Amino acid sequence: MPDVNAGRRRIHRDVWITGIGLVSSLGEGLDAHWDALASGAAPVTDATTYAPYVVHPLVKVNFDTQIPKKGDQRQMEPWQRIGTYAAGLALDSAGIAKNTEILSKTDMIVAAGGGERDFAVDAAILNDLATSNDAGRLLNERLLSDLRPTLSLAQLSNLLAGNISIVHGVTGSSRTFMGEESAGVDATRVAYSRIAAGQSEIALVGGAYNAEREDTLLLNDLDDFCLKGELKPVFAAPGIASGSMGAFLVLESPEHATARGAKPIAKLSGVWSERAKRAVEGAVAEKVAALLSTAGTPAGTAVISGATGAHDATEAERGALAASGLPVRAVANRLGHGFEAQFIAGLALAALAVSKGALFPPSAGDPLEQAGDAAERIVVTQVGHWRGEGAGLVEKA
């Protein structure tokens, strides 16, 4: 007798991480990051250029190696160049760069912010408006004369995906998610879920952030989010130390990877996205504890936290992680905070640690980071600086 429910049963396949593209203040590529992490190298920060704010500046990058056409580079804002560069590194790492057949079927999901502004023009217009007797006319004239045509394009969040498609030939389906840290969580969740369910075979997922922007530093400081003065461990003192970074992963079904002879770096075993009612006391800590419970915390589990440094969110996460008793490492203590890219950078570091079979040393001075080398499975947590919580589980493949 035929099984009438056979077509209704949900498929659930493993999902492998077969490529990682990572560029940050610590360097570019897997080897540079692991060398810095394993050696306990001091984080690279700049507390002078944008004083009093602390930022983690991007390492010097030769964009020509991944974006060969100068015309392509010129029409991109820095965050787009960073993301397109990191995406190229991920494709190289997975061994699919320039493979038209595979790239034409590679789905892409990007976590992006709202684009960049020409803050020199913004500042000049605001200064002139303060002394103008006809503000409306001045504003119209200056917007027509001062804004370059490409600025409107730079404001489009989906242009990062567009540039990756143009430069690297990734021409499968394309999605762009906005929403700070949660965008990175949901971008990864959707890519993971589609592959696990058999709806996709291979996907490129990632995000990028340019921390070296006066406009976003001002925006965050208006809400008292920014770390000022000097770098301090994220669980020791409040404040966001922004970090320039690009982080992309190639996710793939084992069947597809095996067919082309690719080996996994690690296995992505789950991604969960939540949103606590932050007006309710204790809601964030409860949500983090629930995410840890969902991911599971058997022996050999560690946590890589995407803690932002924002006071209320980080304090709540700190309490939940401390109660778990698990070894903890924070991305922000090493790379700074990359907003949309932060969660994916955390997954990249987790995959790297799992593949090496070791957890990198704790950061000095952080009360939550203690000695421990468990790296069989790593839960990556992400509590957004003002909304959204999520987690992912990375295991040895």
Side-chain angles (χ1 to χ4, degrees):
M1 185 173 178
D3 184 352
V4 295
N5 292 314
R8 300 177 184 175
R9 292 199 182 105
R10 295 183 63 185
I11 298 171
H12 187 84
R13 304 186 295 179
D14 284 349
V15 178
W16 285 357
I17 299 172
T18 56
I20 298 175
L22 186 60
V23 58
S24 72
S25 57
L26 290 185
E28 62 173 280
L30 302 185
D31 291 342
H33 279 88
W34 184 252
D35 289 346
L37 294 171
S39 67
V44 179
T45 59
D46 179 356
T48 303
T49 304
Y50 303 97
Y53 311 118
V54 180
V55 300
H56 295 248
L58 191 73
V59 68
K60 186 174 178 57
V61 169
N62 179 10
F63 288 106
D64 292 355
T65 59
Q66 291 293 342
I67 315 172
K69 293 183 180 179
K70 293 294 187 182
D72 288 338
Q73 291 185 37
R74 282 193 298 270
Q75 66 86 25
M76 298 182 201
E77 294 298 323
W79 73 282
Q80 294 176 4
R81 288 197 291 271
I82 295 168
T84 304
Y85 188 88
L89 294 179
L91 299 176
D92 284 343
S93 172
I96 61 173
K98 298 182 174 61
N99 187 322
T100 305
E101 181 181 357
I102 294 178
L103 294 175
S104 68
K105 301 173 184 177
T106 299
D107 299 313
M108 176 166 45
I109 307 183
V110 172
E116 297 194 14
R117 298 193 58 82
D118 189 333
F119 48 81
V121 171
D122 288 345
I125 292 175
L126 288 172
N127 287 334
D128 289 347
L129 284 174
T131 58
S132 173
N133 293 321
D134 191 348
R137 179 173 180 174
L138 172 69
L139 181 61
N140 286 333
E141 290 176 348
R142 295 295 295 277
L143 289 176
L144 287 171
S145 63
D146 289 17
L147 294 183
R148 64 189 188 280
T150 56
L151 183 65
S152 295
L153 293 177
Q155 289 292 298
L156 298 176
S157 296
N158 62 358
L159 271 209
L160 175 52
N163 281 313
I164 292 170
S165 179
I166 291 168
V167 172
H168 299 303
V170 181
T171 54
S173 68
S174 176
R175 295 169 173 82
T176 294
F177 288 4
M178 294 181 67
E180 301 95 21
E181 298 86 1
S182 287
V185 176
D186 271 333
T188 313
R189 180 184 61 81
V190 170
Y192 165 82
S193 298
R194 295 191 74 237
I195 294 173
Q199 298 173 3
S200 174
E201 294 297 333
I202 184 169
L204 176 68
V205 58
Y209 185 73
N210 175 25
E212 298 155 79
R213 293 172 53 188
E214 293 174 343
D215 57 335
T216 52
L217 288 169
L218 173 61
L219 177 66
N220 289 323
D221 195 34
L222 291 174
D223 286 316
D224 198 27
F225 282 132
C226 292
L227 180 65
K228 300 175 184 177
E230 61 183 14
L231 184 67
K232 297 173 184 175
V234 70
F235 287 116
I240 296 175
S242 302
S244 294
M245 66 179 73
F248 274 79
L249 305 175
V250 173
L251 304 181
E252 196 166 356
S253 72
E255 295 82 0
H256 188 275
T258 301
R260 66 181 186 87
K263 302 294 184 183
I265 299 170
K267 181 172 71 170
L268 184 60
S269 297
V271 182
W272 303 274
S273 179
E274 298 286 353
R275 185 162 179 176
K277 295 181 179 179
R278 296 203 175 183
V280 178
E281 186 176 354
V284 173
E286 289 179 8
K287 194 68 72 176
V288 174
L291 286 166
L292 290 174
S293 177
T294 300
T297 57
T301 302
V303 171
I304 289 182
S305 166
T308 66
H311 184 272
D312 292 344
T314 304
E315 279 297 303
E317 183 178 2
R318 174 183 171 175
L321 295 181
S324 75
L326 298 171
V328 175
R329 302 290 183 267
V331 177
N333 285 340
R334 295 153 178 90
L335 310 184
H337 184 57
F339 292 85
E340 291 83 10
Q342 187 78 351
F343 179 69
I344 300 161
L347 292 173
L349 298 186
L352 191 53
V354 165
S355 72
K356 299 291 185 180
L359 192 62
F360 41 88
S363 290
D366 192 300
L368 206 57
E369 293 201 17
Q370 303 296 328
D373 57 3
E376 297 173 19
R377 58 198 313 277
I378 297 178
V379 180
V380 179
T381 59
Q382 185 63 67
V383 175
H385 68 290
W386 72 282
R387 61 179 177 181
E389 301 78 36
L393 175 61
V394 177
E395 297 182 286
K396 190 174 182 64

